[in-house]
Amino acid sequence: MTVAWQQEEKRLTPDEVQAVTFPLSRIGRRGFDEDHVRAFLQEVEREIVTLLNEKVSLWNEVERLRRRIITGMKQPGNNDGVLFGREDAHVHAVRILSNAQLTADRYVADAQAYSHRLTEEARNRRDEILNEAQQHADLVLEEASTRAREAALATLNAPVPNQMEADRSALKAELAYLRTFGEVYRTHLRAYTEGMLRSITEWERSEARTIDQASSEIGGSYDLGR
Amino acid sequence: MDVLGLKDSFSRIASYGDEVPLFFYSDLFIKHPEVRDLFPISMKTQREHLIGALAQIVAQVDRLEDLTVFVQGLGRDHRKFGAVAEHYEAVGDSLLATLAHFAGDTWTPELGADWAAAYGLVASTMIEAAKEDEASRPAFWRGTVLSCEQRAFDITVLQVRPEPRLDFLPGQSVAIESPRRPRLWRYYSIANAPREDGTLDFHVRLIDGGAVSMALTYGQEPGGSLRLGPPIGVLTLEATSGRDILMVAGSTGLAPLKALIEQVAARPAPPSVRLFFCARAAEGLYDLPSLEKMAAEHQWLTVVPVVSSELRSRGESGSVTDVVMRAGNWSGHDAYLAGPSEMVRDTAARLTSAGTPRSQIHIEDFGWSEP
């Protein structure tokens, strides 16, 4: 594991410290005390051994951490992706932004699905109401024409003028009733339909307001002026 | 360039599916945040378009002629989105980063160089086409809504004045973007022949859950502004054929056909035109008064309203295709069809089997163009 240190062979080893010899100084000249020198060299040797051991364990620790980062950074399903260092931070950022984008996509999709359901339901309900109204109108028309036919027959068959007068006023009342009935019915139908259209418009406006509000809160990404 | 190598590496990368464009756009937006503004809020459709375009480019990388037409179209199309030459470099960087990321250790310097060269070719073709286009027309037109008339529960007719004048052929369409739905473009046919005052009519049908149609129908008010893309489309009049004309319009498919009728009306000797105007209910025949008025003015024009599902109706009822086929022999006619794609497909098939040559049947085809 120590291979990574460069020029290993040129460096001082504990053995070299141990084996070093110094020429003796000439007699009568001043020199180091040989025992002191040897004791010091032993201390240096121990120190170097300790340093080398520390270096090996630190190198192992570095390797261990590097392996851990690589494993953590591998893409799911991509067993070959080896990434670390600054790239890691970028890939992290990409992943965070991607998740945020997916969340936004889901919000939009949900809103769209909800809007789809609402319009679909409104459309169906509206068709139902119009159908009912149409059937109702048909019935009313049919009834009116039956009555008109009956009244005409009654007039034809009426023998006495007095009776005819009475019948005529009865018919007038009937006609007035039918007319009022028709008017009331039309008013109701119109109010109903208009009410529906109003609520649809109102719904769209409030949606617009919410979106405008949301976009002003989000700011730049909705720059409408561009 | 190692074409097989490119195709092979793309098919492996593409197997990661949506993750690939997701990584690409995130990488692009982190490195160039200002580009984010050019895209809609939801990127789902965008990602599908990107992978679709890449797949098409890679599939045609060895058929340069077809590829060039496609890529030139892409380049022109991207002008209205606000793409400029500088963006292409940023996109290239992020594209290579994405490809390298997903290729893992199958990524080699040679493969990288091939991809860079291929992208360079695509980008320069797009930029070139956009530049050429720039000389003749703007990236988009600003439109002012002059009126919006609600004709039915779900159909609104908009009149828009584009700035500057927008020249088009009758029957063509433009992409529209509403400020209420930024960066979402949808194609709408222009419902009139070119006018002196330059105004354009659009028939907009509210689609359930449709993002843009909602904004253009219930959310639209006079004075509002829109953006319009350049005119496209091939549903245009074959003026020299001399044949009589059959038109079948389903709902707002009427719009391009009405433009063609106006064009025919301006000709010195108009051929006979028979228009079947179809809707689900009588109420959906939203433009019938105007069509009947035209029919009263022009002897050569007949309008047949068709209602496909209703008890009481003003016109013929039943499947529009059945009604059309019952009404005559159309083998000597030019046929123009527009409306729901199912109706158009069915009618075209029935006409073909009844003897109308395919070359005489005109339907809309936007080709590569995706709004």
Side-chain angles (χ1 to χ4, degrees):
Chain A
M1 271 304 170
T2 57
V3 284
W5 302 116
Q6 286 178 358
Q7 298 179 310
E8 200 72 29
E9 70 282 3
K10 289 185 186 161
R11 301 179 63 177
L12 190 62
T13 65
D15 288 343
E16 285 167 347
V17 174
Q18 177 67 48
V20 75
T21 53
F22 301 95
L24 294 174
S25 53
R26 272 182 275 151
I27 291 174
R29 303 287 296 264
R30 297 184 60 192
F32 291 116
D33 177 327
E34 199 182 331
D35 288 343
H36 275 159
V37 171
R38 294 218 175 277
F40 177 70
L41 285 178
Q42 265 167 25
E43 217 171 291
V44 170
E45 183 202 344
R46 269 196 305 279
E47 185 61 22
I48 291 179
V49 168
T50 315
L51 283 177
L52 281 179
N53 286 340
E54 263 180 29
K55 195 178 80 168
V56 168
S57 74
L58 282 175
W59 178 250
N60 286 339
E61 180 68 5
V62 165
E63 278 294 300
R64 193 180 66 77
L65 289 175
R66 184 175 290 176
R67 268 197 306 278
R68 219 173 83 177
I69 289 169
I70 292 167
T71 324
M73 275 305 142
K74 272 185 189 170
Q75 290 296 299
N78 178 6
N79 294 322
D80 310 319
V82 179
L83 303 151
F84 44 85
R86 258 182 58 174
E87 249 165 64
D88 277 354
H90 180 67
V91 171
H92 251 310
V94 165
R95 190 167 316 145
I96 290 167
L97 185 57
S98 298
N99 282 333
Q101 182 62 57
L102 285 177
T103 310
D105 292 354
R106 270 194 293 274
Y107 273 110
V108 171
D110 286 351
Q112 217 140 299
Y114 184 63
S115 150
H116 186 282
R117 222 179 57 212
L118 276 184
T119 19
E120 200 172 40
E121 274 170 15
R123 190 191 297 271
N124 291 340
R125 185 82 189 102
R126 173 186 162 279
D127 287 352
E128 264 169 40
I129 291 168
L130 285 180
N131 254 336
E132 267 170 36
Q134 184 74 57
Q135 279 169 14
H136 202 135
D138 289 349
L139 279 179
V140 169
L141 279 174
E142 211 171 291
E143 197 186 325
S145 81
T146 314
R147 285 194 193 197
R149 204 181 308 119
E150 278 169 7
L153 283 174
T155 317
L156 276 178
N157 299 334
V160 191
N162 267 359
Q163 178 99 25
M164 219 161 108
E165 201 52 48
D167 278 354
R168 182 171 297 163
S169 59
L171 270 174
K172 269 187 185 162
E174 188 85 351
L175 264 175
Y177 165 76
L178 279 176
R179 196 172 294 135
T180 321
F181 183 87
E183 248 160 54
V184 168
Y185 166 74
R186 274 199 302 278
T187 316
H188 272 117
L189 180 61
R190 186 172 302 124
Y192 206 110
T193 318
E194 279 169 359
M196 281 233 351
L197 287 175
R198 252 199 314 282
S199 56
I200 289 168
T201 314
E202 189 46 47
W203 161 41
E204 165 63 11
R205 292 227 173 86
S206 80
E207 187 209 34
R209 268 197 304 279
T210 325
I211 288 176
D212 289 347
Q213 203 179 339
S215 45
S216 65
E217 279 164 19
I218 296 172
S221 57
Y222 286 82
D223 189 3
L224 301 191
R226 297 187 45 173
Chain B
M1 190 181 294
D2 176 10
V3 171
L4 274 181
L6 281 188
K7 287 191 172 185
D8 184 51
S9 92
F10 182 74
S11 75
R12 246 177 303 123
I13 289 164
S15 69
Y16 286 93
D18 195 39
E19 272 187 64
V20 179
L22 194 60
F23 187 100
F24 165 78
Y25 282 115
S26 297
D27 185 272
L28 178 65
F29 297 154
I30 287 171
K31 290 172 181 162
H32 302 273
E34 73 282 0
V35 178
R36 182 61 181 89
D37 270 359
L38 304 181
F39 293 90
I41 305 148
S42 170
M43 294 288 291
K44 192 172 179 297
T45 326
Q46 196 66 40
R47 291 196 296 272
E48 287 160 10
H49 285 179
L50 176 80
I51 281 300
L54 278 179
Q56 186 149 353
I57 288 172
V58 171
Q60 297 185 340
V61 79
D62 41 4
R63 297 200 305 275
L64 272 181
E65 247 162 66
D66 297 345
L67 183 61
T68 307
V69 173
F70 171 72
V71 170
Q72 283 172 336
L74 273 185
R76 283 191 292 270
D77 220 28
H78 273 68
R79 288 188 64 217
K80 66 172 178 287
F81 304 139
V84 292
E86 295 87 82
H87 293 147
Y88 284 89
E89 201 184 319
V91 166
D93 283 351
S94 290
L95 186 64
L96 284 184
T98 305
L99 295 170
H101 177 81
F102 285 97
D105 66 359
T106 61
W107 189 254
T108 60
E110 295 77 43
L111 189 58
D114 274 358
W115 271 110
Y119 176 77
L121 203 65
V122 167
S124 61
T125 310
M126 283 177 78
I127 292 170
E128 196 60 40
K131 220 185 212 168
E132 246 167 58
D133 198 52
E134 210 176 298
S136 61
R137 54 190 189 184
F140 58 85
W141 283 255
R142 287 185 193 283
T144 309
V145 177
L146 301 177
S147 68
C148 33
E149 193 186 327
Q150 192 178 347
R151 294 282 184 85
F153 164 71
D154 55 355
I155 291 172
T156 299
V157 173
L158 298 179
Q159 189 168 79
V160 178
R161 183 199 305 286
E163 288 288 340
R165 187 186 171 82
L166 193 157
D167 290 316
F168 64 97
L169 296 173
Q172 282 195 309
S173 305
V174 296
I176 300 184
E177 181 208 32
S178 159
R180 304 272 298 278
R181 301 288 187 274
R183 308 301 174 190
L184 289 178
W185 296 79
R186 294 286 183 278
Y187 281 123
Y188 285 96
S189 294
I190 299 169
N192 57 282
R195 293 178 183 140
E196 215 150 282
D197 66 1
T199 56
L200 312 173
D201 287 352
F202 297 101
H203 298 175
V204 184
R205 195 165 64 85
L206 174 69
I207 312 236
D208 289 349
V212 178
S213 68
M214 176 69 93
L216 290 179
T217 49
Y218 283 90
Q220 197 58 60
E221 272 161 18
S225 65
L226 300 170
R227 295 206 291 187
L228 312 175
I232 69 158
V234 295
L235 186 64
T236 50
L237 195 68
E238 199 189 323
T240 54
S241 82
R243 285 183 284 269
D244 284 342
I245 292 175
L246 163 71
M247 290 185 175
V248 183
S251 185
T252 48
L254 174 67
L257 303 186
K258 199 181 178 192
L260 294 181
I261 292 175
E262 287 188 11
Q263 186 186 11
V264 169
R267 285 169 57 181
S272 148
V273 177
R274 206 168 160 85
L275 167 70
F276 290 84
F277 180 29
C278 163
R280 206 168 58 87
E283 181 201 26
L285 299 172
Y286 62 94
D287 206 34
L288 202 51
S290 151
L291 292 173
E292 282 174 343
K293 194 166 155 265
M294 288 171 95
E297 282 168 16
H298 304 299
Q299 244 199 322
W300 46 266
L301 175 64
T302 318
V303 176
V304 185
V306 183
V307 165
S308 55
S309 70
E310 202 168 71
L311 296 172
R312 303 152 55 88
S313 63
R314 289 172 65 185
E316 292 232 34
S317 54
S319 134
V320 65
T321 314
D322 290 341
V323 173
V324 170
M325 299 315 294
R326 271 203 306 270
N329 177 359
W330 307 108
S331 56
H333 280 65
D334 282 333
Y336 294 85
L337 317 176
S341 50
E342 198 183 330
M343 182 213 88
V344 170
R345 223 181 19 248
D346 288 355
T347 311
R350 292 276 296 275
L351 284 172
T352 315
S353 60
T356 311
R358 187 63 192 80
S359 61
Q360 285 169 223
I361 301 175
H362 302 263
I363 57 180
E364 188 50 279
D365 178 15
F366 290 141
W368 42 263
S369 195
E370 283 272 12

